Amino acid sequence: MRSGNESDWEPLLETDAKSTSSSSSRRPPAGAGSGPGTCTTNRRDNKGHHPLHHHQEKCGRIKLGVLVALVFITFYLSLSTISIRPVVHQMVVTIPDDDEDLPGPRGLASPKVVFDSSTNQIIPVIPNSMTNNPHVVLKQQQQQQQQLSKHSSNDAHADDGSTTPTSNATTNAVPKGFLVWGPGCKILDLDPLADDVMRLFHKEQFVPCSTKHPLTTIDQASASSAVATNDTVVLRFHRDRIASHLPHYMKYIECCYQSIERSGINEKADKNFNLSECKYFSHDVQLPPNVTNGVMVRCKGSVSATSKTRKSVYTNVHAFVRAKPAVRERLDRYRDSYKQRPLSVLMVGIDSISRLNLIRAMPHTAQHLYDTGWFELKGYNKIDDNTFPNLMAILTGYNSTLAYDTCNPRKVGQLETCPFVWNMFTNSGYVTAYAEDEASINTFNYHKYGFVKPPTDYYLRPMALAAEKNLVKKLKSSLTMCLGYENYADFIYRYALDFATFYKDEPSFGLFWTNTFSHNDISDPSSMDLRIKYYLEQLDDRGILNNSMVVFFSDHGLRFGAVRSLLTGWLEERLPFMFLWLPEWFKEQHPEAVQALKINRNRLTNPYDLHATLKHVLELSERVDNLPPPFSCPNCQSMFQEMPWNRSCEETSIAPHWCTCSNFEKIDKSAKIVHEVISFVIDSINRDLEDHQKNLTKKLCAKIQLKSISLAKVARYPDAPEPHTDYLLIFDAKPGSGKFETTVRHYTKRDQSKTPFEVTGSISRLNEYASQSECMHVDYLRKYCYCLRKKGG
């Protein structure tokens, strides 16, 4: 496809060529000499030719050549100075304004956000005029809050019909250009369609995984009444589709199904599955009650019924939700004890999508959320590097260190000791489910042992393992985009819909997570935009939104690649998208929650707050009370309560490295302190690698060294209880050319007996390492390890 600039150039070349040819054929004026800029006649070549005619031909050829050459030189120079990129027909999302009646720092002039020419490589700096004297800003904001409180008080006593004066502020609660604005946190609001990031983004089309319709499908009574009265599951055999699956020379097909069951024990518990004896069928078949989780269907074709040569022509896996006696007993027991039906919780997560990339890559989905009344939390800030710690904060309230110390997933059976919130829901009479795609990188299985016992009532992993092993896979960006006849993500979302539909009139908790279309590329999510919108619409069409709080969210933005080196990349990695849906009846019963969510739209929030919110839902069910706050963040709280307007990362257990509130400014990367800090970081990395390898007979990883420094920024906090300076650094290391980003705290007045430096959060790897680290099986060390190989290895 031609770029816009190329299509502009081609007609220009054609026109210039024509005009040049025309002018070169004109006769020169009589008496034309051979002065500068004219063609001279070579008399030695004039034999047998009219001198003037030859002179005109040669002159014309030279002029034509010179003009064409000039045009191409101009074109080449344009290419080197003008950025050419394909035109992306991008839908622009309309984001609703904040409610004008919400409290906030009103009356402040909207700050001007200015970036220098190297902005696309650095972290934004809030203008000094707004940050040099935070006490002035704080005083202004406190005055505005007092003014609003005064007006509210006057409103309460104005019963004589008089008009109470209101604030004369004309700006929104948060100044333009910011998502969050307060003395403890200011988060920039960047353009999701900025030119620098759009050069790296391209719109992807959804491509069906197969041109053939599957030969078998599942049909079941999916209403929640089925829990008590009807649990029929029928395996449909579409005989009219047989011809499309058989080669032209085959006339006979034979099919059977096998039940899929979890079969592993101990360290293999989350890795193995079992297939039952194959039951043959030739028409629709009702599956027996002991087939509870899913089936694999296999069909073979042959030239005749008696032929011994048979070829596999069809394989598929069907997962489904059926009533389970233990679940039924639990639901009945709690239903009899409590009259009020509690709020269900459905969590739908997509890995590695920032708020900005949701708007950029999935505009139809984003617009649907904005248009249909979902609550957005724009200041939702991740608390750690990758999926595991961010989900553990949501599900347990533990940070990564505590999670590995208390319920180490690298030890068999230890995950079961963690206080997962789904266990709290189970103990409060809920039915629970968990499903995730791409089994090899599942949150609790990537370089971990996983669960010895199924963590929830419905657990899709055995069916996913069976499907991955037996179905045809199509990869995109190194992940399984297609699994058999459907997109892998569709496999997860359809299971989520089946679960939520089956139990829509019963209290349920479900977590459904996808990695395959979002984890490795900024553009891939665009192919699923309309699909995700469809599933969100299905939640409404099936009545699931009537009784459920739906959490539609991500864990973080893209963590590596070209985008990560841009201004937006730093911010996007730390700000995933977060939307909540609440049913109308719940909003009517709890207007305070609605008001808090409106306010919290522009307040700093994090995964610990979501953990507290899930516990709040349980407390509102009146089946449990006095649940503790998140263990790793005692100051964090439910999103149904107004977050403090002066919240900071430090108060909410967000390490400086992950905090988007920080006010960094650029410094000389050759400065002595910069090299001291980077030396400290590299020594820390090498110590971690050495500690892991000290008991090994052969070293696995090379010792890394500094290669170059890309960026150095600083944020100073001289008035902190322990004065310090934070350094944000990006550097390249060798061997392996790993690009790392770190935030190091320098305690400027610390006792000399203690180290003055501290790595905050963890160290980010900004480029891919893939096979460089294949010898290392400790997940957090993989980003540092450059495997030592034998020659020729």
Side-chain angles (χ1 to χ4, degrees):
M1 179 183 293
R2 278 193 203 103
S3 72
N5 287 354
E6 288 172 335
S7 63
D8 289 342
W9 270 108
E10 287 185 358
L12 180 60
L13 287 172
E14 183 179 353
T15 303
D16 282 354
K18 287 180 180 179
S19 62
T20 304
S21 175
S22 174
S23 63
S24 66
S25 65
R26 292 175 188 158
R27 186 181 301 273
S34 59
T38 65
C39 296
T40 59
T41 303
N42 187 341
R43 298 183 185 276
R44 287 175 297 181
D45 295 334
N46 285 343
K47 293 181 180 179
H49 299 281
H50 191 284
L52 184 58
H53 178 70
H54 180 82
H55 172 76
Q56 289 172 333
E57 287 184 339
K58 185 167 185 178
C59 184
R61 286 196 299 269
I62 292 173
K63 282 185 175 182
L64 175 61
V66 170
L67 286 171
V68 170
L70 285 172
V71 169
F72 274 101
I73 290 170
T74 305
F75 179 62
Y76 174 79
L77 291 174
S78 298
L79 284 177
S80 64
T81 57
I82 297 175
S83 194
I84 297 178
R85 59 185 173 91
V87 175
V88 178
H89 299 288
Q90 182 70 29
M91 172 184 167
V92 178
V93 176
T94 302
I95 302 173
D97 294 331
D98 299 329
D99 287 2
E100 292 185 359
D101 62 340
L102 295 180
R106 298 175 178 276
L108 297 175
S110 295
K112 184 179 180 181
V113 182
V114 180
F115 306 113
D116 61 30
S117 59
S118 60
T119 295
N120 64 337
Q121 296 293 334
I122 65 172
I123 309 305
V125 180
I126 299 172
N128 288 334
S129 61
M130 303 175 64
T131 55
N132 278 345
N133 195 342
H135 300 290
V136 173
V137 176
L138 177 60
K139 186 176 181 180
Q140 285 180 316
Q141 294 172 336
Q142 288 174 337
Q143 288 173 347
Q144 293 294 333
Q145 291 285 353
Q146 292 171 0
Q147 187 179 28
L148 288 171
S149 300
K150 181 180 179 181
H151 293 327
S152 299
S153 177
N154 289 340
D155 287 341
H157 294 91
D159 55 358
D160 57 354
S162 61
T163 303
T164 304
T166 58
S167 172
N168 59 1
T170 58
T171 60
N172 289 331
V174 174
K176 186 178 180 181
F178 287 84
L179 299 174
V180 174
W181 177 267
C185 183
K186 297 174 180 66
I187 302 177
L188 282 169
D189 183 12
L190 300 183
D191 180 7
L193 306 183
D195 285 344
D196 56 354
V197 69
M198 291 304 289
R199 292 188 190 102
L200 303 171
F201 173 81
H202 54 275
K203 202 170 184 179
E204 298 276 358
Q205 298 298 319
F206 178 82
V207 179
C209 293
S210 176
T211 57
K212 300 176 182 178
H213 293 291
L215 195 55
T216 54
T217 55
I218 292 293
D219 188 12
Q220 69 178 121
S222 58
S224 60
S225 59
V227 176
T229 60
N230 183 15
D231 191 26
T232 301
V233 178
V234 176
L235 179 63
R236 298 290 183 198
F237 186 49
H238 301 279
R239 298 188 63 84
D240 57 321
R241 302 175 185 174
I242 291 177
S244 65
H245 289 271
L246 283 177
H248 65 90
Y249 58 88
M250 290 185 179
K251 307 297 180 185
Y252 181 79
I253 193 168
E254 177 180 75
C255 298
C256 66
Y257 72 85
Q258 296 170 280
S259 177
I260 303 170
E261 301 293 339
R262 196 171 190 258
S263 66
I265 59 173
N266 296 327
E267 69 272 11
K268 300 290 185 180
D270 238 359
K271 296 181 179 179
N272 294 349
F273 62 91
N274 183 56
L275 297 174
S276 69
E277 179 185 354
C278 220
K279 304 288 184 181
Y280 288 90
F281 64 94
S282 57
H283 295 84
D284 294 351
V285 57
Q286 183 172 318
L287 299 177
N290 63 339
V291 180
T292 56
N293 301 308
V295 295
M296 177 176 291
V297 178
R298 303 178 189 270
C299 296
K300 295 182 178 181
S302 59
V303 295
S304 68
T306 58
S307 174
K308 293 183 179 180
T309 302
R310 301 189 177 186
K311 178 183 178 181
S312 177
V313 295
Y314 177 81
T315 306
N316 209 350
V317 169
H318 301 289
F320 41 79
V321 175
R322 302 192 80 170
K324 297 185 177 183
V327 172
R328 182 182 300 171
E329 188 277 330
R330 183 195 315 149
L331 294 173
D332 290 343
R333 173 161 44 89
Y334 275 85
R335 192 186 305 110
D336 293 340
S337 302
Y338 299 90
K339 293 182 179 180
Q340 183 175 345
R341 181 233 187 274
L343 185 68
S344 290
V345 176
L346 178 65
M347 304 184 72
V348 180
I350 307 176
D351 200 290
S352 302
I353 298 187
S354 66
R355 173 182 178 269
L356 288 178
N357 204 35
L358 180 78
I359 295 169
R360 178 190 307 121
M362 306 178 73
H364 291 91
T365 299
Q367 196 64 66
H368 174 81
L369 294 165
Y370 287 127
D371 290 346
T372 53
W374 291 66
F375 297 96
E376 182 184 19
L377 296 164
K378 292 182 179 182
Y380 184 76
N381 199 124
K382 74 173 189 175
I383 56 98
D384 211 325
D385 190 14
N386 55 13
T387 306
F388 179 77
N390 285 292
L391 279 190
M392 286 298 279
I394 294 171
L395 297 174
T396 67
Y398 285 4
N399 62 25
S400 183
T401 302
L402 186 60
Y404 276 100
D405 287 347
T406 305
C407 39
N408 191 348
R410 293 196 288 264
K411 292 184 179 179
V412 179
Q414 285 295 101
L415 266 179
E416 274 76 6
T417 65
C418 253
F420 283 101
V421 72
W422 53 49
N423 293 331
M424 301 178 193
F425 279 91
T426 298
N427 295 334
S428 297
Y430 281 65
V431 54
T432 59
Y434 165 48
E436 185 171 353
D437 64 359
E438 200 68 59
S440 62
I441 62 169
N442 274 190
T443 304
F444 303 104
N445 302 90
Y446 181 65
H447 297 302
K448 307 174 186 72
Y449 281 112
F451 297 97
V452 173
K453 297 179 181 179
T456 52
D457 297 313
Y458 293 87
Y459 185 42
L460 190 66
R461 185 171 172 83
M463 277 66 70
L465 289 169
E468 287 190 26
K469 184 175 181 179
N470 292 279
L471 302 186
V472 175
K473 294 195 287 187
K474 294 180 182 178
L475 303 184
K476 193 172 190 303
S477 302
S478 304
L479 294 172
T480 309
M481 185 66 80
C482 287
L483 191 59
Y485 292 87
E486 66 181 340
N487 189 287
Y488 204 161
D490 285 325
F491 191 69
I492 301 298
Y493 295 134
R494 189 163 35 78
Y495 189 73
L497 282 175
D498 288 346
F499 171 77
T501 304
F502 195 84
Y503 287 107
K504 71 177 181 181
D505 292 329
E506 301 286 352
S508 63
F509 173 91
L511 170 61
F512 301 89
W513 192 261
T514 55
N515 306 281
T516 47
F517 67 90
S518 59
H519 190 274
N520 288 355
D521 188 272
I522 191 174
S523 301
D524 284 345
S526 61
S527 67
M528 289 292 290
D529 185 13
L530 293 176
R531 302 290 296 165
I532 300 299
K533 180 187 176 187
Y534 164 79
Y535 288 115
L536 294 176
E537 290 172 337
Q538 281 292 297
L539 294 177
D540 191 16
D541 293 345
R542 298 192 185 196
I544 296 165
L545 296 183
N546 294 337
N547 291 316
S548 303
M549 177 179 84
V550 183
V551 184
F552 184 50
F553 72 115
S554 186
D555 50 352
H556 51 74
L558 203 63
R559 295 165 46 233
F560 49 81
V563 173
R564 187 55 187 80
S565 297
L566 301 177
L567 159 66
T568 187
W570 179 85
L571 199 72
E572 287 195 43
E573 183 197 353
R574 291 155 171 77
L575 295 178
F577 74 87
M578 170 61 67
F579 288 84
L580 296 179
W581 169 268
L582 292 176
E584 287 302 320
W585 62 265
F586 184 87
K587 291 191 287 187
E588 291 175 2
Q589 290 184 10
H590 302 283
E592 74 286 351
V594 174
Q595 179 71 356
L597 286 171
K598 288 181 179 181
I599 295 171
N600 293 340
R601 182 188 194 205
N602 295 104
R603 298 282 168 91
L604 177 65
T605 54
N606 66 31
Y608 296 121
D609 296 321
L610 183 52
H611 175 78
T613 307
L614 296 175
K615 287 181 173 178
H616 196 170
V617 169
L618 278 175
E619 290 180 333
L620 292 175
S621 74
E622 299 181 351
R623 297 181 175 188
V624 64
D625 57 14
N626 296 322
L627 292 175
F631 193 89
S632 293
C633 184
N635 291 328
C636 290
Q637 63 184 55
S638 169
M639 295 168 175
F640 293 166
Q641 300 167 336
E642 180 182 341
M643 300 298 173
W645 72 288
N646 56 352
R647 236 181 177 208
S648 68
C649 287
E650 186 173 3
E651 294 165 343
T652 53
S653 301
I654 302 173
H657 184 55
W658 308 120
C659 180
T660 55
C661 305
S662 301
N663 178 32
F664 287 101
E665 57 185 81
K666 197 173 182 180
I667 58 171
D668 183 5
K669 60 188 179 184
S670 64
K672 179 182 177 182
I673 184 64
V674 171
H675 284 266
E676 288 180 5
V677 173
I678 289 182
S679 294
F680 170 77
V681 173
I682 290 177
D683 288 345
S684 299
I685 291 174
N686 285 326
R687 277 198 305 273
D688 282 351
L689 291 172
E690 185 67 30
D691 288 345
H692 177 74
Q693 300 173 91
K694 61 185 177 183
N695 295 324
L696 302 178
T697 55
K698 288 181 86 173
K699 284 191 175 182
L700 300 175
C701 310
K703 188 174 183 179
I704 74 165
Q705 302 174 54
L706 176 65
K707 182 179 179 182
S708 62
I709 302 172
S710 305
L711 170 72
K713 304 211 72 183
V714 66
R716 296 178 175 86
Y717 303 94
D719 298 326
E722 187 173 5
H724 61 269
T725 300
D726 287 345
Y727 290 93
L728 175 64
L729 306 166
I730 297 178
F731 64 92
D732 290 79
K734 58 184 180 180
S737 297
K739 183 178 285 292
F740 299 98
E741 179 185 77
T742 183
T743 304
V744 177
R745 178 155 290 181
H746 179 208
Y747 292 97
T748 53
K749 296 183 180 180
R750 177 169 280 186
D751 188 283
Q752 292 185 354
S753 61
K754 301 178 181 178
T755 176
F757 299 123
E758 176 188 334
V759 175
T760 69
S762 58
I763 301 168
S764 300
R765 174 76 180 246
L766 302 189
N767 58 343
E768 297 184 56
Y769 41 91
S771 59
Q772 285 187 359
S773 303
E774 59 188 4
C775 62
M776 174 58 67
H777 300 294
V778 178
D779 50 358
Y780 86 95
L781 292 178
R782 284 175 59 82
K783 57 187 176 183
Y784 310 139
C785 180
Y786 183 82
C787 294
L788 295 168
R789 297 180 176 89
K790 295 180 182 179
K791 288 185 178 180

